[in-house]
Amino acid sequence: MQTINPTTDEPIETYDEHDDEALERFVQRSADRFESWSERPITERQALVGGIADVLCENEDDYAALMTREMGKPIEQARAEIEKCSWVCEFYAEHAAQFLQDERIGVHPRAKTKVSYEPLGPLLAVMPWNYPFWQVLRVAAPTLAAGNTVLLSHARNVTGCATTIERVLADAGFPDGAFTTILVDDDSLHDVIADDRVAAATLTGSVRAGRAVAETTGANLKPTVLELGGSDPFVVLDDAPLERACEVGAQARVNNNGQACIAAKRFIVVEDVYEEFRDGFVREMESLTVGDPTDPDTDVGPIARADLLDTLETQVTESLDAGATALTGGERINREGYFFEPTVLEDVPADSPAGCDELFGPVASLFVVEDEDEAIALANDTEFGLGASVWTTDLERGERVAHELEAGAAFVNELVQSHPKLPFGGIKNSGYGRELAADGIREFTNKKTVWVSPADGLDE
């Protein structure tokens, strides 16, 4: 496994994959650790999760620089990611016991009936490169607090982040085997999923990867959470606050170099305000600074890998050949590293890549519609259903439209984002299950019904 700096196209580090013997040792250690870890008082587990936040805060600059070096995230956004990771750890350190406390349910006056939330065992977490710390810790913090252990299989191009996260938890005081990074290929990964000692799996990644994991977990009857791709609509109605919509829209499209599942990708604008929005949005995209992600003034850094840049370029070229027009950008940048111009496409054919596929990079697709009804119909005309936003000065109207948008999350006058206090996940080909909030910590627990009757039975 070799990591490459996407800004310079130069190698960073080479890592050896774990062989079968090492993998067997790690899985067994995780299973053994679960026995003692799940029996520890939840207050102790919470305290250790809170300790992760302390380690992250102490080393924020180092971890942010590592992310920027391995996947090209602008340094200020990398720092913000570490801060958000600290936040989610602090959140579960404070609330895990509350979320997992027994729920008393009255059924009979002489019976004690309740629902308890009990850990399942080792969890396999298959995580992507685009938010290399956040994606891991938003899963690990609640899962560990709940009493499960975690096996992490991270994306190859952020292997340095993967091994560093393991050290973070060790520095926070977690025992060996509570959290383990495994460096394996896809074949070995599916063997781990099928292993009887592994209780469940979660994946954030592509639809293809999600189907593969779901096939294996389904065959082995194991619970799964999948957070997959997105083609989020950004719906601009005829009474939208246009100046702010243009500004936030550009941010929503290019944050993390445009490589986010919940990034706004399809900008659906009612024709009465289309020209004004289009012109303002293009100005915002053209004002972005593209360059070295270690420079705090950079807005957009490189695409994370050479193959991903090739894919994005092909998608844009095919969309242009099909009839789309580039209002700005449209090409890779002729410089060292994997850079693509911030791009705005208009007249996008519905069956072109920019019309129906997920473009993972700073490329926005504009669509003009006649009215609100057509906007909603187009927003929902996609295989994905992760996030959506609608822009209007009429808040009642915005809330009503939000309910009509087919997505796991709908925002009014705000970019789509994840928040520790709110459940996060998608529908349709964007996956199933939820992370974060109370829903997230309960996903990988046994929701057990416990009924206690007196020895002499219940009165009729």
Side-chain angles (χ1 to χ4, degrees):
M1 294 183 177
Q2 186 178 59
T3 53
I4 303 291
N5 187 326
T7 305
T8 64
D9 192 29
E10 295 177 349
I12 302 172
E13 189 65 73
T14 300
Y15 302 85
D16 292 330
E17 289 187 2
H18 292 137
D19 59 21
D20 291 344
E21 181 179 345
L23 183 57
E24 166 62 27
R25 184 170 67 253
F26 292 146
V27 173
Q28 185 60 51
R29 186 180 67 175
S30 184
D32 292 341
R33 177 57 64 190
F34 169 71
E35 298 301 323
S36 59
W37 179 248
S38 60
E39 293 176 357
R40 292 184 72 162
I42 191 169
T43 53
E44 294 183 13
R45 299 197 301 262
Q46 285 177 285
L48 287 168
V49 169
I52 301 172
D54 296 334
V55 176
L56 292 172
C57 290
E58 291 168 5
N59 301 280
E60 177 181 315
D61 289 345
D62 291 340
Y63 301 150
L66 173 60
M67 273 192 282
T68 296
R69 187 164 59 252
E70 285 199 322
M71 54 73 61
K73 186 189 302 289
I75 189 64
E76 293 303 316
Q77 295 178 30
R79 291 193 182 100
E81 180 169 337
I82 296 300
E83 291 167 5
K84 192 171 184 179
C85 291
S86 298
W87 181 22
V88 79
C89 292
E90 291 168 350
F91 175 75
Y92 282 110
E94 180 179 356
H95 296 289
Q98 170 194 340
F99 294 152
L100 297 175
Q101 66 183 350
D102 291 348
E103 296 182 14
R104 295 292 298 270
I105 300 173
V107 174
H108 190 282
R110 297 195 66 206
K112 178 181 180 181
T113 49
K114 64 181 181 179
V115 175
S116 65
Y117 296 90
E118 301 178 2
L120 297 175
L123 168 75
L124 175 65
V126 184
M127 294 289 107
W129 49 264
N130 55 337
Y131 291 91
F133 273 72
W134 168 246
Q135 303 276 19
V136 173
L137 288 169
R138 79 180 186 189
V139 170
T143 299
L144 291 165
N148 300 303
T149 55
V150 176
L151 295 161
L152 168 66
S153 175
H154 217 328
R156 288 172 173 251
N157 60 320
V158 290
T159 301
C161 291
T163 57
T164 297
I165 292 170
E166 184 173 12
R167 289 196 297 273
V168 168
L169 270 74
D171 291 345
F174 282 80
D176 288 346
F179 181 96
T180 305
T181 291
I182 56 175
L183 309 180
V184 297
D185 59 21
D186 289 345
D187 290 339
S188 297
L189 194 60
H190 287 289
D191 290 341
V192 175
I193 297 173
D195 194 297
D196 289 341
R197 293 166 292 184
V198 175
T202 182
L203 174 139
T204 297
S206 67
V207 174
R208 178 192 58 79
R211 291 184 189 279
V213 168
E215 182 177 355
T216 305
T217 54
N220 291 275
L221 298 179
K222 296 183 180 182
T224 315
V225 170
L226 301 178
E227 195 265 279
L228 309 178
S231 186
D232 286 10
F234 187 102
V235 177
V236 181
L237 298 179
D238 51 12
D239 61 346
L242 292 179
E243 182 176 352
R244 183 166 179 268
C246 292
E247 179 182 352
V248 177
Q251 178 188 354
R253 176 58 280 205
V254 304
N255 188 46
N256 205 42
N257 305 335
Q259 300 167 122
C261 294
I262 55 172
K265 299 184 176 79
R266 295 179 299 133
F267 292 78
I268 301 169
V269 187
V270 171
E271 61 182 353
D272 288 350
V273 295
Y274 177 75
E275 290 186 5
E276 186 176 353
F277 175 83
R278 178 196 62 194
D279 294 346
F281 182 65
V282 169
R283 283 195 299 271
E284 291 287 344
M285 293 287 280
E286 290 180 337
S287 71
L288 298 168
T289 300
V290 181
D292 182 354
T294 65
D295 184 340
D297 292 329
T298 292
D299 298 307
V300 183
I303 302 301
R305 298 196 314 255
D307 63 305
L308 298 173
L309 175 61
D310 290 341
T311 297
L312 180 64
E313 182 181 41
T314 298
Q315 290 174 313
V316 171
T317 298
E318 290 181 354
S319 299
L320 293 171
D321 290 344
T325 301
L327 299 176
T328 188
E331 298 179 347
R332 71 167 71 201
I333 299 175
N334 185 21
R335 58 171 290 172
E336 186 178 55
Y338 314 142
F339 291 84
F340 200 89
E341 296 174 323
T343 298
V344 180
L345 303 178
E346 127 178 291
D347 300 324
V348 177
D351 58 352
S352 69
C356 59
D357 295 341
E358 180 178 27
L359 272 59
F360 229 51
V363 179
S365 299
L366 297 185
F367 301 87
V368 58
V369 293
E370 182 176 348
D371 54 23
E372 175 189 303
D373 290 340
E374 188 177 345
I376 294 169
L378 181 57
N380 292 336
D381 186 19
T382 173
E383 66 178 295
F384 297 109
L386 191 55
S389 68
V390 56
W391 293 77
T392 173
T393 53
D394 183 338
L395 301 189
E396 290 186 5
R397 181 188 192 189
E399 186 172 356
R400 173 177 53 76
V401 172
H403 282 290
E404 295 187 53
L405 296 173
E406 297 170 357
F411 287 69
V412 180
N413 299 329
E414 191 57 82
L415 56 79
V416 178
Q417 56 194 282
S418 57
H419 191 292
K421 295 182 180 181
L422 298 171
F424 179 80
I427 59 173
K428 300 195 282 191
N429 280 357
S430 290
Y432 52 77
R434 291 295 181 265
E435 296 175 328
L436 302 175
D439 303 74
I441 198 171
R442 292 172 177 173
E443 282 284 1
F444 297 112
T445 61
N446 174 17
K447 302 170 185 64
K448 180 185 289 184
T449 294
V450 177
W451 181 309
V452 182
S453 292
D456 59 354
L458 302 177
D459 295 332
E460 294 296 333

